[in-house]
């Protein structure tokens, strides 16, 4: 179940999964015409476009960093930004290590606030966490537990998602 969950957190895997669900729910229409109804194609295309716009460029990111589980990793912004999504990737050539983690946002009083709705479990190839949009000047990754002391993160980025149009 763990590997299944991690696999479907990839952007393109999510898109593929949604397409499969749409096709599966439209089985009768497919049987009659042999084609995917255009309204489904249009909606899945809008969803894919929204994913591409959302993750085309980050608000801030750190790539290819080695740290210990006790070290927080902070993304600082030069100005106040609205963040609602983070993406984490481990460097799997070094093995998977993160067992649990937290994503925190710095509030206007200088207090780190853990974000509700964050996966908080393993990172693996990629995990994308969505949370309530928050204005901030910093976002922090904290490893809460790991299977070894050194972590190899391939990517930690903060984003503002764009809903489908």
């Amino acid at each position: 179940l763990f590997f299944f969950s991690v696999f479907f957190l990839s952007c393109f895997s999510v898109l593929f999964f949604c397409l499969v669900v749409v096709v599966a729910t439209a089985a009768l229409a497919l049987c009659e015409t042999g084609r995917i109804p255009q309204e489904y194609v249009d909606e899945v295309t809008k969803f894919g476009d929204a994913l591409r716009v959302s993750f085309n460029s980050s608000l801030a990111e750190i790539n290819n960093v080695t740290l210990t589980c006790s070290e927080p990793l902070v993304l600082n912004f030069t100005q106040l930004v609205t963040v609602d999504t983070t993406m984490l990737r481990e460097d799997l050539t070094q093995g998977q290590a993160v067992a649990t983690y937290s994503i925190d946002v710095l509030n206007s009083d200088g207090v780190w606030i853990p974000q509700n709705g964050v996966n908080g479990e393993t990172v693996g190839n990629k995990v994308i966490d969505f949370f309530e949009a928050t204005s901030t000047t910093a976002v922090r990754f904290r490893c809460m537990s790991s299977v070894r002391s050194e972590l190899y993160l391939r990517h930690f980025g903060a984003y503002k998602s764009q809903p489908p149009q």
Side-chain angles (χ1 to χ4, degrees):
L1 182 62
F2 153 74
F3 291 108
F4 182 77
S5 299
V6 171
F7 174 75
F8 280 102
L9 289 176
S10 161
C11 291
F12 295 108
S13 297
V14 170
L15 180 60
F16 176 74
F17 179 72
C18 289
L19 180 61
V20 169
V21 169
V22 167
V23 170
T25 59
L28 292 175
L30 287 175
C31 294
E32 293 172 11
T33 66
R35 304 184 88 180
I36 299 172
Q38 189 60 45
E39 61 266 18
Y40 293 149
V41 172
D42 294 344
E43 291 303 312
V44 172
T45 300
K46 287 179 192 175
F47 179 72
D49 291 344
L51 282 177
R52 281 185 284 284
V53 168
S54 296
F55 297 106
N56 187 37
S57 64
S58 64
L59 299 169
E61 64 184 55
I62 297 173
N63 293 302
N64 302 316
V65 63
T66 302
L67 64 155
T68 63
C69 189
S70 60
E71 289 178 74
L73 187 57
V74 178
L75 295 172
N76 290 300
F77 308 107
T78 57
Q79 60 187 13
L80 194 65
V81 298
T82 301
V83 176
D84 65 1
T85 310
T86 58
M87 182 189 303
L88 287 161
R89 299 186 76 179
E90 284 188 82
D91 180 355
L92 295 183
T93 64
Q94 303 296 321
Q96 186 171 336
V98 178
T100 59
Y101 68 92
S102 177
I103 298 293
D104 309 321
V105 173
L106 190 64
N107 73 8
S108 59
D109 296 328
V111 177
W112 289 104
I113 307 297
Q115 295 306 289
N116 294 325
V118 168
N119 177 39
E121 295 183 5
T122 61
V123 173
N125 179 55
K126 182 186 298 181
V127 65
I128 299 171
D129 287 305
F130 297 93
F131 44 88
E132 186 175 331
T134 306
S135 293
T136 186
T137 57
V139 176
R140 176 175 74 177
F141 161 79
R142 283 185 304 136
C143 174
M144 307 303 279
S145 64
S146 64
V147 297
R148 66 171 180 273
S149 60
E150 277 196 330
L151 310 176
Y152 301 93
L153 289 183
R154 192 168 157 201
H155 178 80
F156 173 40
Y159 302 84
K160 174 63 178 97
S161 65
Q162 301 298 317
Q165 298 297 323

